[in-house]
Amino acid sequence: MSKVSIIGAGFVGSTVAHWAMISGGCQIVLLDVVDGLAKGKVLDLIQSGPIAGHAIDAIGTTDYADTADSEIVIVTAGVARKPGMTREDLVSINAGIVRDVVQRVVEKSPNAILIMMTNPLDTMTYLAHQVSGLPRERVIGQAGVLDGGRMKTFIAMETGISPENIHTTVLGGHGDEMVPLVRYSTIAGMPLTYFLSQEQIDHIVARTRDGGAEIVRYLKTGSAYYAPGASACKMAQAIIRNQHHIYPASVYLQGEYGLNDICFGVPVVLGKNGIERIIEIDLDEEEKTMMRKSADLIRSTMAHLGQPAHS
Ligand code: APR
């Protein structure tokens, strides 16, 4: 059974644990800095097992020793976005948390694959890559699965066609300048333009980009967690089961897509080693411009990291 540790037992972390329990096949360690929080959430989860018919092997803790030798560590620790706050506003608070968490995690699980969820996602994935010293194949930011899932939802809502038939590709940073690629999104292999007007497509692209903020506006306190939790769980399953699924993920780039020294959402093959391969697709000039704009926004966020990433 694969050991999966989840750091942060707030809305996102506990929802990841819930999805992981439903998917099965892993031993779950939920850790939070707040005493009793992870223990309480896990006790509740365990008690749901016999009712819902799920076997669950889980513990809640504040002690990193319990996370030792994890195969996967999913990092959700941090502060969530509040209304009016951009993901970028979160950078200074969450950088301190992520530095601390990643150092402790890697000390106990030097062979782990990290799945980052704390926002601003690409910047926190970059920080985790630097602080952990792990190879880039083992530090993966979760964003594109969520953003692609949102785009799929909006296409399904607009066309009335099953999301199972819909494939979307959303690359770039997990922020306002994310890059939903209409040309690489299809309905049963057919172009979106066959089913939707340009106006409808533009609306779907805009709503996808605003997907997280739309939920924040409704919730008023806190941000999304069901779909982010499901997304991280999909990625973890692809690794645990060595599925070689292609997902967009934020990864440290070394020249791919003309970008260097940045974590950025690109299509990757996920398997037992983490990122097995980065896929470079052809982009037209307009798409390249969107990718550049998105990278520029991440770099401006990275500029707020403050201390050197290696500290
Ligand atoms: N170590 C462990 N846990 C921590 C630490 C730390 N150093 N600092 C904070 N936490 C915990 C908090 O105690 C809290 O339980 O992280 C949890 C965060 O939970 P929520 O406040 O409910 O936030 P959540 O909605 O789960 O979002 C967490 O994921 O999607 C992103 O933008 C979101 O960055 C945010 C993160």
Side-chain angles (χ1 to χ4, degrees), residues 102 105-106 109-114 128-139 252:
V102 168
V105 157
V106 173
S109 302
N111 299 315
I113 292 169
L114 305 185
H129 176 251
Q130 300 297 312
V131 170
S132 66
L134 294 175
R136 66 172 180 164
E137 290 74 19
R138 293 203 271 132
V139 184
Y252 185 76

Side-chain angles (χ1 to χ4, degrees), residues 7-13 31-34 37 64 76-81 90 94 97 100-101 117-119 223-224:
I7 314 299
F11 283 102
V12 175
L31 182 147
D32 200 284
V33 72
V34 175
L37 184 65
Y64 281 85
T76 78
V79 174
R81 203 155 44 131
L90 292 174
N94 285 352
I97 295 172
D100 178 55
V101 163
M117 299 194 71
T118 306
N119 276 312
S223 51

Side-chain angles (χ1 to χ4, degrees), residues 145-226:
V145 176
L146 171 62
D147 298 328
R150 284 180 173 150
M151 188 172 175
K152 241 184 227 193
T153 306
F154 300 141
I155 293 170
M157 284 161 69
E158 201 70 26
T159 58
I161 291 169
S162 164
E164 275 180 40
N165 280 136
I166 300 169
H167 175 80
T168 54
T169 303
V170 182
L171 305 184
H174 184 52
D176 300 338
E177 296 292 348
M178 71 177 71
V179 185
L181 286 176
V182 171
R183 219 161 51 91
Y184 284 101
S185 301
T186 63
I187 299 178
M190 292 171 263
L192 296 187
T193 45
Y194 187 81
F195 299 89
L196 295 160
S197 68
Q198 193 54 49
E199 197 186 329
Q200 286 174 305
I201 291 172
D202 291 346
H203 174 68
I204 286 165
V205 166
R207 198 169 175 196
T208 301
R209 286 201 172 120
D210 188 51
E214 183 179 5
I215 290 170
V216 170
R217 286 195 295 274
Y218 281 120
L219 295 182
K220 298 193 175 61
T221 56
S223 51
Y225 46 95
Y226 291 117

Side-chain angles (χ1 to χ4, degrees), residues 30 35-47 60-61:
L30 185 63
D35 191 31
L37 184 65
K39 270 204 167 78
K41 295 249 173 133
V42 164
L43 200 54
D44 189 14
L45 260 186
I46 290 174
Q47 289 165 3
T61 185

Side-chain angles (χ1 to χ4, degrees), residues 3 5 27-31 39 59-70 108-109:
K3 182 168 178 176
S5 291
Q27 180 195 355
I28 300 163
V29 178
L30 185 63
L31 182 147
K39 270 204 167 78
I59 60 162
T61 185
T62 53
D63 185 354
Y64 281 85
D66 292 321
T67 69
D69 301 319
S70 295
K108 299 293 179 201
S109 302

